[in-house]
């Protein structure tokens, strides 16, 4: 069977925007079984990569119709064992969409191949992508056809925001860090974390980053000592930063079982009749909503788990009290799937994804790098921390 010829080219904002948005609406986003999510890019199809140091969006055109898109971004990150100084240039593949009526025609493969060629032209060492483990079409394309290898399986943890704020323990102190302090702490305590971005300062200074907070027990150490003497930290402490993803795109629950709708409405009704119960109400997910993404979550000390939970409650309260247009309805974070940190981060299993599949591919065949790649994909401890860049959510 002979297919009409398509061509791959760069995205052109003014002329392509409407068609790309239409294509996004026709392609479902989100786990195929438990949650059905659609994205609203609010008129900016490249909003998910616009804040990256370097990015590209490609489109597939067939007879003046856009039938496929793909996005990519490039940055320098920590990769253990990669010369020099454990730093590597990586390219992230995301947003691959092919029109439902034009699949199985090689369009997706051509988009991936062209994006990898762009990565190579920019001296990228590794390309990587993330998908749900049950997305068999995506897994087959990247792993079977393009040789990507399973790298990590982090967990995406999602917690709904309701209008009841949490009462944080009076024994816990939560303080906001200045940007230069936050950058120092991240480089000192997470600089060796896999995929730690070398331009962390740019992330922290971005207008979408709402701030960085540390939590510690009162009486453990005075903040003046904590902040002025960089070498001194409390016995137990935790920190995280917050990214306002709702400012650049929205989510909406496109399809859901009838039972889910009934449950949601019932909880709203009960809370309205008995507000004194302060029930954890289910937000309205059927209209476009935003979310906060917690990144750079780090903890140290025997009682730091309680501090992580307190910080999560603090972020929840931020979302509940926010008056901006982001309309925050959920708090999201992504951490290594087998990290004990998961047990201290409040989340709903119904909304969360316990195994987000990350796959990686070496784009260079240089002496020494193949061994490093083998170490990276086969011998990386599953509990080693992983830094998830908020710009790639």
């Amino acid at each position: 069977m002979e297919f009409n010829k398509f061509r791959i080219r760069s995205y052109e904002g003014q002329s392509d925007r409407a068609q790309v948005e239409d294509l996004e609406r026709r392609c479902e986003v989100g786990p195929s079984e438990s949650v059905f999510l659609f994205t609203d890019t609010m008129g900016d199809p490249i909003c998910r990569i616009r804040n990256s140091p370097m990015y590209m969006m490609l489109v597939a055109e067939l007879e003046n119709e856009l039938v496929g898109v793909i996005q990519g971004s490039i940055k320098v990150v920590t990769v253990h064992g990669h010369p020099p100084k454990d730093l590597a240039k990586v390219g992230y593949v995301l947003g691959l969409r092919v029109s439902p009526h034009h699949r199985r025609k090689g369009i997706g493969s051509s988009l991936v191949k062209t994006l990898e060629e762009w990565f190579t032209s920019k001296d990228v060492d590794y390309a990587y992508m993330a998908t749900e483990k049950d997305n068999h079409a995506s897994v087959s394309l990247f792993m079977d056809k393009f040789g990507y290898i399973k790298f990590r399986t982090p967990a995406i943890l999602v917690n709904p925001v309701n209008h009841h704020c949490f009462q944080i323990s009076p024994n816990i102190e939560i303080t906001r860090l200045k940007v230069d302090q936050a950058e120092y702490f991240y480089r000192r305590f997470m600089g060796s974390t896999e995929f730690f971005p070398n331009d962390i300062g740019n992330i922290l200074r971005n207008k979408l980053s709402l701030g960085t907070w540390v939590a510690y027990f009162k009486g453990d150490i005075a903040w003046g000592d904590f902040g002025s003497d960089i070498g001194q930290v409390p016995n137990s402490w935790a920190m995280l930063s917050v990214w306002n993803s709702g400012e650049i795109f929205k989510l909406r629950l496109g399809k859901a079982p009838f039972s889910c709708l009934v449950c949601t409405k019932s909880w709203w009704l009960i809370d309205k009749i008995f507000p004194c119960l302060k029930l954890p109400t289910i937000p309205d997910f059927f209209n476009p909503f935003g979310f906060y993404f917690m990144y750079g979550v780090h903890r140290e000390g025997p009682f730091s788990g309680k501090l992580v939970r307190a910080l999560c409650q603090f972020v929840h309260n931020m979302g509940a009290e926010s008056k901006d247009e982001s309309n925050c309805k959920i708090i999201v974070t992504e951490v290594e799937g087998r990290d004990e940190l998961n047990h201290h981060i409040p989340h709903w299993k119904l909304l969360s994804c316990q195994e987000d599949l990350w796959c990686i591919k070496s784009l260079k065949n240089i002496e020494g790098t193949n061994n490093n790649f083998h170490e990276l994909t086969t011998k990386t401890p599953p509990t080693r921390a992983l830094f998830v860049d908020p710009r790639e959510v």
Side-chain angles (χ1 to χ4, degrees):
M1 183 177 181
E2 184 177 345
F3 298 118
N4 292 330
K5 202 160 186 181
F6 55 86
R7 71 184 183 107
I8 308 296
R9 60 172 175 80
S10 298
Y11 166 77
E12 297 176 3
Q14 290 186 343
S15 57
D16 294 338
R17 181 180 295 113
Q19 285 200 61
V20 170
E21 289 183 323
D22 179 65
L23 180 60
E24 286 280 354
R25 282 191 290 269
R26 288 182 281 131
C27 296
E28 225 169 54
V29 181
S32 57
E33 295 181 359
S34 56
V35 180
F36 299 81
L37 292 176
F38 293 92
T39 59
D40 179 1
T41 59
M42 300 188 294
D44 184 12
I46 61 172
C47 62
R48 292 182 63 194
I49 56 175
R50 186 178 293 281
N51 291 285
S52 298
M54 188 180 300
Y55 57 86
M56 167 71 76
M57 183 171 184
L58 301 171
V59 299
E61 187 176 41
L62 176 63
E63 298 178 347
N64 296 321
E65 178 188 359
L66 296 191
V67 294
V69 297
I70 196 170
Q71 301 179 39
S73 61
I74 298 174
K75 62 183 178 181
V76 176
V77 302
T78 297
V79 174
H80 288 279
H82 186 89
K85 300 180 179 180
D86 291 337
L87 293 176
K89 185 178 284 189
V90 297
Y92 181 46
V93 182
L94 72 159
L96 175 61
R97 309 278 187 267
V98 176
S99 170
H101 298 297
H102 295 87
R103 291 173 182 171
R104 301 185 182 279
K105 297 180 181 179
I107 295 173
S109 297
S110 296
L111 285 166
V112 174
K113 182 175 181 293
T114 306
L115 185 63
E116 287 187 348
E117 290 172 351
W118 179 69
F119 285 158
T120 301
S121 72
K122 300 300 181 182
D123 200 33
V124 168
D125 299 295
Y126 305 103
Y128 72 105
M129 50 77 69
T131 186
E132 54 183 289
K133 66 174 183 178
D134 295 328
N135 188 338
H136 302 297
S138 180
V139 171
S140 175
L141 174 66
F142 283 95
M143 297 186 72
D144 298 341
K145 186 164 187 176
F146 283 95
Y148 284 70
I149 298 175
K150 177 180 176 181
F151 170 48
R152 290 294 190 90
T153 53
I156 301 175
L157 306 180
V158 180
N159 203 41
V161 173
N162 57 74
H163 60 269
H164 298 305
C165 290
F166 288 103
Q167 292 295 323
I168 299 173
S169 171
N171 296 323
I172 295 176
E173 190 75 44
I174 295 179
T175 304
R176 182 171 182 169
L177 293 178
K178 296 179 180 178
V179 173
D180 55 346
Q181 289 176 315
E183 180 175 0
Y184 176 86
F185 272 84
Y186 274 124
R187 291 193 184 279
R188 177 183 175 186
F189 295 102
M190 295 194 75
S192 61
T193 302
E194 210 76 74
F195 272 49
F196 179 82
N198 196 44
D199 66 333
I200 183 65
N202 292 335
I203 298 175
L204 296 170
R205 290 176 176 84
N206 191 292
K207 65 179 182 179
L208 297 175
S209 190
L210 301 182
T212 302
W213 288 266
V214 293
Y216 54 97
F217 293 104
K218 292 180 179 179
D220 190 346
I221 187 174
W223 168 247
D225 297 331
F226 192 6
S228 60
D229 185 355
I230 294 299
Q232 189 177 14
V233 294
N235 293 322
S236 292
W237 64 283
M239 72 174 178
L240 58 73
S241 298
V242 181
W243 185 268
N244 188 4
S245 299
E247 281 292 319
I248 52 177
F249 70 94
K250 295 288 193 292
L251 299 175
R252 176 176 57 85
L253 195 63
K255 298 183 224 175
F258 179 73
S259 58
C260 179
L261 179 61
V262 172
C263 179
T264 301
K265 297 295 184 180
S266 300
W267 276 84
W268 289 345
L269 182 61
I270 293 172
D271 184 65
K272 187 175 182 179
I273 298 174
F274 304 106
C276 59
L277 297 178
K278 294 186 177 181
L279 296 174
T281 54
I282 303 173
D284 176 13
F285 292 138
F286 300 95
N287 292 303
F289 62 90
F291 66 98
Y292 289 168
F293 184 79
M294 300 188 302
Y295 68 97
V297 184
H298 181 74
R299 70 184 183 108
E300 290 192 4
F303 304 108
S304 56
K306 292 182 179 180
L307 298 172
V308 169
R309 180 170 290 273
L311 282 171
C312 292
Q313 292 174 338
F314 177 82
V315 176
H316 170 278
N317 293 350
M318 283 176 55
E321 297 173 348
S322 65
K323 304 298 183 183
D324 55 37
E325 296 181 357
S326 63
N327 191 25
C328 178
K329 292 292 179 67
I330 57 175
I331 307 297
V332 184
T333 192
E334 188 166 9
V335 295
E336 179 53 53
R338 300 184 189 180
D339 195 328
E340 290 186 2
L341 192 61
N342 294 12
H343 303 301
H344 304 293
I345 298 176
H347 62 280
W348 279 21
K349 290 185 178 181
L350 178 66
L351 300 175
S352 302
C353 173
Q354 295 301 321
E355 287 191 25
D356 188 34
L357 179 63
W358 284 32
C359 298
I360 192 168
K361 174 183 180 179
S362 176
L363 297 180
K364 292 183 177 179
N365 187 19
I366 302 175
E367 185 177 354
T369 59
N370 286 336
N371 291 333
N372 295 330
F373 182 67
H374 177 74
E375 294 277 337
L376 181 67
T377 55
T378 62
K379 296 185 178 181
T380 300
T383 56
R384 178 183 285 174
L386 178 70
F387 195 102
V388 179
D389 193 326
R391 298 171 296 189
E392 298 175 351
V393 174

